[in-house]
Amino acid sequence: MLITERNDLLPINIGGEMRLGAGSESSTLYPATGEVVARLRAPSLEDVNEAIERADHAFRTSGWAQKKPHERAAVLYRVAQIIRERAEPLAQRQRLDNGKPISETRNLVASAAGTFQFFAAACETLEETLTPARGDYMTMSVYEPMGVVAAITPWNSPIASEAQKVAPALAAGNAVVIKPAEATPLMALELAAICEEAGVPKGMLSVLPGRGSVIGDAITKHPLVKRVSFTGGTSTGKHIAHIAADKMMPVSLELGGKSATMVLADADLDHAVNGVLFGIFSSSGESCIAGSRLFVARELYAPFMDRLSQRAAALRVGDPADERTQMGPLITAKHRESIEGYVAMGLGDGATLRTGGKRPEGALYERGYYYSPTILEGVQNTDAICQQEIFGPVLVAMPFDNEEALLEQANNSVYALAAGIWTKDYKRAWRIGRAVQAGTVWINTYKQFSISTPFGGWRDSGLGREKGRLGILQYMEQKAMYWGLNEQPLGWAN
Ligand code: NAD
């Protein structure tokens, strides 16, 4: 249905005004067929400045920041409700925008609604504190909104990652400029329209798609932008951190990963096999938390790998519109080439192929950017294929001999985003879970997510935490207030 839109250029949201950008034209393609889903023109740098100035104006004059928390919350509850009312068309649109299977885009839309609901509640229940006084004054710690904040997002889970930033930022009283990924601009435009319909004042939200190195860079450097919340690749995150250092601007950076999944000898095989498959191959591996490095106890390695490879080869790769599809296409032809390059590099370095390593064959796959679930073994944890993030359906597998060697290898990575442990021994799970260096550890499960639980990475996987009840504080400045209670003038001046 949406593919018929391709003849009209789609307006973008510049400070609440829906109009064509004055920048270059780009198209979003359906990764399953390569067809054009929508065409739009990116903003020019003048459009970017205008959107940010309008956001600043809206922040200062629209009254949003001055609303009582329960009043802002009421609008955000309404956003959640509208997302739920339009869940199916939104999920279908996201499927077209990034090619994820419909079963998954439905979950992402539901998660976006839940995120708005959660941060509405966080907003209306956030407490400011009366701190213990240590003099003749009363002391308080309160929070203020920051002004204009930027949300820069990747293409892999658009509406969910945008909601994760926009909901707490608006709840805190800020204006938000969203910079969606070039390949997936559609959901941010939908989300901004829904927010406005629910009662967020015009200008409080802009959507500025386009090239990251041009539009994202200009947003990050703009003096009126007071915080950047970024999700994307580590090198982009480091670049943003440099700009932020020059501006003395806080940033949160949700970056890449090469997460270790550890299967101990006593693991429940069915659970572990299913968990490992889901951890790496769901979302076609285009997931920051993909469990892409597998360590299996040596005594279990052969039977486990037999079972895992057979099941991986039988995964249903195909049409994202089919409810039974487990793996859709990759985001772009170029991204598939990059994954093919990594697999060739691994094989060149001595890895052996257990399954996959090629494009699936057949009429269904001719036009889309499909790649088969791939497992490589015969590798060392220090090999490039085990150290670099591939961001696709490629798993590297290694046996381990003891807990010490396991932890040494699992922690030997520049990334430290997530880890998984499969064992029936809860004491070992606790010990390994505490010793493994990662922002999130799953024990006998994997890739489960809750908006109520803070999320983020260590080392090259990021800085700061999103989600959680206190996630709203990322978008606020903390202020101390002292109320003098002294009946006498301050003594010093006497
Ligand atoms: P990317 O870094 O190329 O782009 C992310 C966003 O940043 C896009 O909107 C892009 O246009 C923008 N951007 C690019 N250059 C910029 C610049 N110089 N200044 C400002 N903005 C710029 O990443 P990607 O390829 O879209 O996404 C894949 C990466 O995202 C992977 O590394 C993945 O692990 C990571 N990711 C992390 C999380 C997490 O929560 N930790 C979640 C999803 C994806």
Side-chain angles (χ1 to χ4, degrees):
M1 71 184 158
L2 289 155
I3 287 182
T4 57
E5 285 174 15
R6 65 175 169 251
N7 294 324
D8 304 316
L9 278 168
L10 210 61
I12 58 174
N13 185 330
I14 301 174
E17 191 185 331
M18 296 304 295
R19 65 171 205 239
L20 297 183
S24 54
E25 190 180 314
S26 68
S27 304
T28 130
L29 307 180
Y30 183 34
T33 60
E35 283 172 279
V36 174
V37 178
R39 293 186 306 129
L40 51 77
R41 274 219 298 269
S44 62
L45 291 178
E46 289 73 27
D47 291 334
V48 171
N49 287 338
E50 184 184 334
I52 294 172
E53 280 160 19
R54 282 190 187 210
D56 181 59
H57 182 74
F59 172 70
R60 286 183 289 104
T61 61
S62 71
W64 177 254
Q66 288 72 36
K67 274 186 191 296
K68 300 278 178 288
H70 70 281
E71 294 167 343
R72 278 202 301 275
V75 175
L76 301 180
Y77 284 124
R78 174 89 186 113
V79 173
Q81 188 187 340
I82 300 176
I83 294 175
R84 287 191 179 114
E85 284 163 11
R86 301 199 191 139
E88 188 56 22
L90 285 170
Q92 294 292 356
R93 194 164 181 74
Q94 171 136 354
R95 168 180 68 79
L96 291 170
D97 206 17
N98 83 339
K100 278 194 167 181
I102 186 66
S103 55
E104 198 175 332
T105 61
R106 283 184 184 134
N107 286 339
L108 292 171
V109 170
S111 126
T115 298
F116 272 89
Q117 179 179 322
F118 182 85
F119 281 111
C123 172
E124 66 177 342
T125 58
L126 179 69
E127 290 181 354
E128 296 174 322
T129 43
L130 201 60
T131 55
R134 295 175 72 90
D136 291 333
Y137 43 72
M138 183 177 78
T139 45
M140 303 170 75
S141 182
V142 299
Y143 301 100
E144 309 287 4
M146 299 174 126
V148 182
V149 302
I152 305 183
T153 53
W155 43 259
N156 62 327
S157 304
I159 198 169
S161 47
E162 278 133 22
Q164 229 164 276
K165 300 178 188 309
V166 172
L170 284 177
N174 301 291
V176 190
V177 173
I178 313 176
K179 157 67 188 81
E182 204 178 358
T184 55
L186 300 185
M187 302 315 287
L189 287 163
E190 295 283 350
L191 189 62
I194 289 173
C195 289
E196 206 175 299
E197 185 181 333
V200 175
K202 243 187 199 322
M204 292 295 291
L205 264 175
S206 285
V207 182
L208 305 175
R211 286 191 39 210
S213 56
V214 180
I215 307 300
D217 198 66
I219 294 170
T220 307
K221 287 180 176 153
H222 200 290
L224 287 174
V225 171
K226 304 297 186 206
R227 164 182 260 284
V228 170
S229 174
F230 172 79
T231 300
T234 296
S235 61
T236 317
K238 287 184 177 176
H239 174 75
I240 288 174
H242 278 110
I243 298 172
D246 282 342
K247 284 175 69 181
M248 285 299 281
M249 170 179 73
V251 279
S252 52
L253 304 170
E254 302 286 354
L255 309 177
K258 190 80 182 178
S259 300
T261 305
M262 298 163 259
V263 180
L264 309 193
D266 68 343
D268 179 312
L269 267 197
D270 283 340
H271 283 229
V273 168
N274 276 23
V276 171
L277 288 171
F278 180 63
I280 178 63
F281 297 124
S282 60
S283 314
S284 301
E286 294 172 326
S287 166
C288 55
I289 46 171
S292 49
R293 275 187 307 149
L294 174 65
F295 297 96
V296 184
R298 193 174 294 278
E299 55 268 50
L300 192 65
Y301 188 81
F304 187 86
M305 290 306 294
D306 284 347
R307 210 147 139 185
L308 187 75
S309 320
Q310 278 163 18
R311 295 278 307 282
L315 287 173
R316 294 183 296 278
V317 180
D319 180 1
D322 183 337
E323 314 222 344
R324 296 180 64 252
T325 292
Q326 290 165 300
M327 261 179 64
L330 299 164
I331 186 76
T332 57
K334 192 164 161 231
H335 188 54
R336 178 169 64 177
E337 281 164 24
S338 139
I339 289 163
E340 288 171 332
Y342 277 113
V343 172
M345 175 187 78
L347 294 173
D349 286 349
T352 51
L353 196 59
R354 191 72 195 228
T355 184
K358 58 181 174 46
R359 302 176 183 190
E361 284 159 13
L364 177 64
Y365 307 114
E366 264 163 23
R367 292 191 298 158
Y369 319 129
Y370 290 96
Y371 196 73
S372 300
T374 297
I375 302 178
L376 295 171
E377 58 183 357
V379 293
Q380 303 285 328
N381 183 58
T382 46
D383 292 350
I385 194 80
C386 299
Q387 291 290 321
Q388 295 176 18
E389 185 187 39
I390 299 175
F391 215 58
V394 180
L395 177 70
V396 288
M398 290 157 271
F400 69 87
D401 290 309
N402 56 55
E403 202 172 302
E404 198 187 359
L406 170 65
L407 277 167
E408 196 277 318
Q409 294 179 89
N411 287 335
N412 183 359
S413 168
V414 294
Y415 296 112
L417 190 59
I421 304 167
W422 295 90
T423 177
K424 288 186 195 132
D425 181 339
Y426 72 93
K427 290 180 188 162
R428 270 189 103 187
W430 173 253
R431 205 165 54 230
I432 295 172
R434 294 306 299 256
V436 72
Q437 293 157 6
T440 296
V441 177
W442 286 288
I443 295 157
N444 293 326
T445 186
Y446 201 86
K447 220 176 159 187
Q448 303 301 306
F449 258 142
S450 157
I451 187 65
S452 62
T453 308
F455 173 78
W458 302 9
R459 301 203 286 265
D460 276 14
S461 290
L463 268 185
R465 295 289 176 271
E466 279 194 329
K467 307 187 182 180
R469 205 163 60 83
L470 300 180
I472 189 173
L473 296 183
Q474 267 198 38
Y475 297 93
M476 304 184 103
E477 289 286 8
Q478 193 164 13
K479 183 187 278 175
M481 296 187 81
Y482 287 66
W483 296 75
L485 300 174
N486 209 325
E487 299 288 351
Q488 304 301 322
L490 289 175
W492 180 87
N494 288 337

